[in-house]
Amino acid sequence: MEAVDYLYTCAEIGVALSGFAALVVAIGQKSRGDSNATDIWYVNVIIERGLVAALLAMLPILLDGLGVPQNFLWSICSGLFAIYIFTLAWRSYRTRVAWKDDYPVMSSGVFSILMLLGLCVMVLLIFHAFGIFLEQSSWWYVLGVTWLLVSLGYVFLMFLRSVFIPSKRS
């Protein structure tokens, strides 16, 4: 199966970022004495995206091991990933609305750009799942996993900034 090494590496990165975020929270709590709602939000997002990235990176390998044919395998994986991105976009939007001006991660402009990129990846994965315009190969799926890790990395950097350079709102 193509892209196995890349998918293993993606899984390792997702798990590593999740674990490192938990470690940073523990250190931050010890130095500051407490955790606030923003820290808890960051950790929840980082752990969820890291573990989902690991799961999605390992899913094609599991399905391949179970004997699912390659073309059908990538359609299944891309379809499930598109569903996850849809739920992620919906939850991110709802969180943004609920937090209003206190959204901990980014400005409205950056949020809109990242949301648009995520929705573009979702559309590509839907096209890939149904075989519309895109060739059935692993690389469209790998693009989605990479996007998820990049968004996870961005949230992780913002989390580190909030822990080590707290804003006046924290």
Side-chain angles (χ1 to χ4, degrees), residues 49 87-96 103 111 115:
R49 288 189 191 177
T87 64
L88 179 63
W90 177 252
R91 289 180 294 129
S92 296
Y93 172 75
R94 299 286 295 164
T95 301
R96 176 80 185 184
Y103 193 64
F111 177 80
M115 184 71 81

Side-chain angles (χ1 to χ4, degrees), residues 83-127:
I83 291 169
Y84 173 72
I85 292 174
F86 176 78
T87 64
L88 179 63
W90 177 252
R91 289 180 294 129
S92 296
Y93 172 75
R94 299 286 295 164
T95 301
R96 176 80 185 184
V97 168
W99 283 66
K100 296 181 181 147
D101 295 331
D102 293 332
Y103 193 64
V105 179
M106 62 198 85
S107 68
S108 294
V110 173
F111 177 80
S112 298
I113 290 169
L114 292 178
M115 184 71 81
L116 184 62
L117 286 172
L119 293 175
C120 287
V121 170
M122 181 183 73
V123 168
L124 283 173
L125 288 172
I126 289 170
F127 285 171

Side-chain angles (χ1 to χ4, degrees), residues 32-105:
R32 290 188 307 203
D34 67 340
S35 63
N36 55 35
T38 303
D39 288 348
I40 293 167
W41 180 86
Y42 274 118
V43 172
N44 286 338
V45 167
I46 291 168
I47 289 174
E48 175 199 333
R49 288 189 191 177
L51 295 178
V52 168
L55 171 75
L56 290 171
M58 299 303 291
L59 182 62
I61 299 163
L62 172 68
L63 293 177
D64 185 55
L66 293 173
V68 175
Q70 291 288 318
N71 287 343
F72 194 56
L73 178 143
W74 296 115
S75 293
I76 291 171
C77 291
S78 291
L80 291 173
F81 199 169
I83 291 169
Y84 173 72
I85 292 174
F86 176 78
T87 64
L88 179 63
W90 177 252
R91 289 180 294 129
S92 296
Y93 172 75
R94 299 286 295 164
T95 301
R96 176 80 185 184
V97 168
W99 283 66
K100 296 181 181 147
D101 295 331
D102 293 332
Y103 193 64
V105 179

